[in-house]
Amino acid sequence: MASEHALGAAHAELMGVEFDHFDAEREEITLRFTAPETFITPRGSVQGGLVAGFLDEVMGWAHVWATNQKEAPLNLEISMSLLRPVPAGPLIGKGRVVRRGRKVIFLEGELYDGENRVLARSTSTAIPTPRPTGEK
């Protein structure tokens, strides 16, 4: 099923995104990421904007899967809190739909390390749009 709903966009490949699972009842997706060494700043952790990219990805896919691939969120606002330095290597992202209306949706996400420690949290306010097909 993961290959049927591939995450294969170029940016997802750069982030090392892999589908883990989707809980339809909770409208929560779990994705695995591999933060490459090239994302690491001189401080020794993933650059903050790139952390936001991981969180944006996991929140967006939660909505895509919750709508059976029919819709994708168009962000109006994203808020992020960095709780710990985000290391290179394997990461786990969890994103969920908090509330979905016809005109606005609320999403949230977390990024975890391999020891299940929360590294970053985010929320998003977005509008539901038809999912782009990528065809021109």
Side-chain angles (χ1 to χ4, degrees):
M1 191 155 161
S3 62
E4 183 181 324
H5 305 293
L7 305 172
H11 72 278
E13 187 175 322
L14 182 66
M15 293 187 289
V17 179
E18 292 180 25
F19 176 82
D20 187 302
H21 70 276
F22 178 70
D23 181 330
E25 185 176 317
R26 292 182 50 138
E27 294 188 333
E28 180 178 81
I29 196 165
T30 302
L31 301 178
R32 295 188 176 277
F33 298 95
T34 302
E37 288 291 334
T38 56
F39 283 19
I40 302 301
T41 70
R43 292 185 188 269
S45 58
V46 175
Q47 192 270 345
L50 298 170
V51 174
F54 291 129
L55 292 164
D56 181 24
E57 193 76 1
V58 78
M59 290 186 296
W61 279 106
H63 179 74
V64 170
W65 277 72
T67 62
N68 197 29
Q69 318 299 312
K70 291 180 174 68
E71 293 180 355
L74 180 60
N75 289 315
L76 298 171
E77 176 270 337
I78 294 178
S79 176
M80 175 182 72
S81 296
L82 294 166
L83 306 172
R84 290 188 164 91
V86 176
L91 301 167
I92 299 165
K94 290 183 182 273
R96 75 198 56 75
V97 177
V98 175
R99 183 167 180 218
R100 183 177 51 251
R102 287 189 341 261
K103 295 185 179 188
V104 68
I105 51 180
F106 299 94
L107 307 166
E108 62 184 17
E110 296 90 30
L111 196 60
Y112 299 86
D113 65 13
E115 296 175 23
N116 209 31
R117 291 181 296 204
V118 179
L119 305 173
R121 288 196 167 129
S122 63
T123 59
S124 173
T125 304
I127 56 175
T129 64
R131 184 168 177 221
T133 62
E135 297 174 7
K136 297 189 182 209

